[in-house]
Amino acid sequence: MSILNALSVSRRPATAFVVVGMFWGCFAAYVPVIKDQLGASDALFGTLLLGSATGLVSAMWLAPKADRVLGARGMQVGTVMLAISWLLPGQVTVPFIFAATMAFVGLASGLLDVVMNARVSELEAKHGRPLMNANHAMFSVAYAVGALVVGFTREAGLPPTPVFAGFGVIALLALPLMRMDVTYVDAEEGYVGKYPLWPIVLCGAIVLVAFMSEATVEAWSALHVERTLGGGAAEGALGPAMLGITMAIGRFSGQAVAEKLQEIPVVIGASVISAIGAVIAAFAATPLMAYVGFGILGLGVSVIGPMGLALVGKLVAPHLRTEAISRTAVIGFSGFFFAPMLMGLLSEAFGLRMAFLAVVLLLLSALPLALTIRRLPQTS
């Protein structure tokens, strides 16, 4: 019941998480199609996805100001921008133009990501309970559904743009559910605290590790199944879908765990579990074995990012919470765009198996970061 209650309390930002998740699940399952459409090598395609980072960096600076200006309609405006932006990448055949369209996607996604995570953190402070995992679980559910739907549309021969447009209609229909009044907190009288640089950097690095690992599976799992293991289009789409399903299970479970355990031990255990999954996926001999690896990775990595975002909300003063989450989120979400580029370069040079093994080292790097964060004092 705690999970259902958490979703009820945070139903407005949870709706925004669903919107973001279904679009990225759709994109992940269409990666092989879009890559072929561009005629891009692994390295070039990964580099083109870096265009999204340009928009994301812009979002880091714009989001706190946009949040103040847009107020209760922040998530609604971000959703409209995202729905429009996803109509572009699937129509492009010129690599440079594709990178430009992904920059627009990165900006829209980054703005909505920051605002919806800030709203969840605000609700956590208001109700005195963890809510982040439940909301990120809804992202994963929607991501898995989006990828599964694309498995059918690809088998039917549908191109990306009409499918993105269909998801866009769903997003627009959900707009009334995303209006949420915002409570702005001013600094306490006499506040002389320093800018919380280290909590932002360290928590941002934790989220970065999680989302970079997640992004490698999102962007390259379908190709790994289809190219390395000889699977078909539907089998390839099942790779990112498996990640989304298990991440949803992990995050719903993490919601219950977060109410009983501290964040740091959970992050440490989850990092080890997800690293084991990455090893299995790297050495998989069949699509089924790869699905097992993706599933274990998804279960583990699912809670790391939400825990990092929840931690920074506890480590900073209330009036700095939105800005701190904005900076932390953008550091973390940049992993969705840097990871595909690095994965493409590694795949081009050493193959996808070695590229997935690099994810193991990335996941284990979360351990010293978590131990360092443990020493920082919490403000809430």
Side-chain angles (χ1 to χ4, degrees), residues 44-215:
L44 176 59
F45 186 69
T47 303
L48 293 175
L49 291 179
L50 192 59
S52 306
T54 304
L56 194 71
V57 170
S58 301
M60 179 176 70
W61 302 109
L62 293 174
K65 296 178 182 179
D67 188 32
R68 286 274 180 177
V69 172
L70 297 172
R73 295 191 178 277
M75 290 187 290
Q76 293 176 314
V77 173
T79 296
V80 172
M81 290 176 59
L82 192 62
I84 294 172
S85 68
W86 275 118
L87 294 175
L88 305 174
Q91 304 182 54
V92 176
T93 57
V94 179
F96 174 77
I97 299 177
F98 174 76
T101 64
M102 290 304 294
F104 187 24
V105 169
L107 174 62
S109 186
L111 284 171
L112 183 54
D113 273 318
V114 168
V115 173
M116 69 192 190
N117 276 285
R119 295 291 82 77
V120 174
S121 185
E122 180 185 326
L123 289 170
E124 284 186 325
K126 179 179 178 180
H127 294 277
R129 58 174 301 189
L131 300 168
M132 200 68 77
N133 272 293
N135 281 266
H136 282 256
M138 294 307 296
F139 169 93
S140 299
V141 170
Y143 179 93
V145 171
L148 287 171
V149 168
V150 170
F152 290 106
T153 61
R154 282 186 60 192
E155 287 289 339
L158 283 177
T161 301
V163 182
F164 278 119
F167 282 126
V169 171
I170 295 173
L172 296 178
L173 291 174
L175 285 178
L177 301 175
M178 285 180 273
R179 181 183 172 89
M180 178 177 169
D181 292 331
V182 184
T183 302
Y184 296 109
V185 180
D186 295 322
E188 295 180 2
E189 186 175 350
Y191 177 79
V192 293
K194 296 181 180 179
Y195 186 77
L197 177 63
W198 282 112
I200 291 172
V201 170
L202 292 171
C203 292
I206 287 279
V207 180
L208 178 66
V209 166
F211 289 168
M212 281 188 72
S213 304
E214 181 181 338

